[in-house]
Coordinates of all heavy atoms in Angstrom, one line a residue:
L12 N 96.7 103.2 145.5 CA 95.6 103.4 144.5 C 95.6 104.6 143.7 O 95.3 104.7 142.5 CB 94.3 103.3 145.4 CG 93.9 102.0 146.1 CD1 92.7 102.2 146.9 CD2 93.7 100.9 145.0
G29 N 98.3 108.9 120.4 CA 98.9 108.1 119.4 C 97.9 107.7 118.3 O 98.3 107.7 117.1
I60 N 100.9 110.4 79.5 CA 100.5 109.5 78.4 C 99.9 110.3 77.3 O 100.2 109.9 76.1 CB 99.5 108.4 79.0 CG1 100.1 107.5 80.0 CG2 98.9 107.6 77.8 CD1 99.2 106.5 80.6
E62 N 100.7 113.2 76.3 CA 101.8 113.9 75.6 C 102.6 112.9 74.8 O 103.4 113.4 73.9 CB 102.7 114.6 76.6 CG 102.1 115.8 77.3 CD 101.7 116.9 76.3 OE1 102.5 117.1 75.4 OE2 100.6 117.5 76.4
L75 N 116.4 115.6 66.0 CA 117.7 115.1 66.5 C 118.5 114.4 65.5 O 119.8 114.3 65.6 CB 117.4 114.1 67.7 CG 116.8 114.8 68.9 CD1 116.4 113.7 69.9 CD2 117.8 115.8 69.5
A82 N 129.0 110.4 68.3 CA 129.3 110.7 69.7 C 130.7 111.4 69.8 O 131.6 111.0 69.2 CB 129.3 109.5 70.6
E89 N 125.8 119.9 70.3 CA 124.7 120.8 70.1 C 123.3 120.2 70.3 O 122.4 120.8 70.8 CB 124.8 121.3 68.6 CG 126.0 122.3 68.4 CD 126.1 122.7 66.9 OE1 125.2 122.4 66.1 OE2 127.1 123.3 66.6
M93 N 120.7 121.5 73.1 CA 119.3 121.7 72.7 C 118.3 121.1 73.7 O 117.3 121.6 74.1 CB 119.0 121.2 71.3 CG 117.6 121.4 70.8 SD 117.3 120.5 69.3 CE 117.4 118.8 69.9
T99 N 114.7 122.5 80.3 CA 114.7 123.6 81.3 C 113.4 124.5 81.0 O 112.7 124.9 81.9 CB 115.9 124.5 81.1 OG1 117.1 123.7 81.4 CG2 115.9 125.7 82.1
N122 N 141.6 107.9 54.6 CA 142.2 106.6 54.4 C 141.2 105.6 54.9 O 141.4 104.9 55.9 CB 143.5 106.5 55.2 CG 144.3 105.3 54.7 OD1 144.0 104.7 53.7 ND2 145.2 104.8 55.5
V133 N 141.0 87.8 41.5 CA 140.3 88.9 40.8 C 139.2 89.4 41.7 O 138.4 88.7 42.2 CB 139.7 88.3 39.5 CG1 138.9 89.4 38.7 CG2 140.8 87.8 38.6
P156 N 131.7 107.8 57.2 CA 131.9 106.7 56.4 C 131.8 105.4 57.2 O 132.0 105.4 58.4 CB 133.4 106.9 55.9 CG 134.0 107.8 56.8 CD 132.9 108.7 57.4

Side-chain angles (χ1 to χ4, degrees):
L12 293 175
I60 293 176
E62 288 297 320
L75 293 172
E89 291 177 8
M93 179 191 66
T99 302
N122 194 18
V133 179

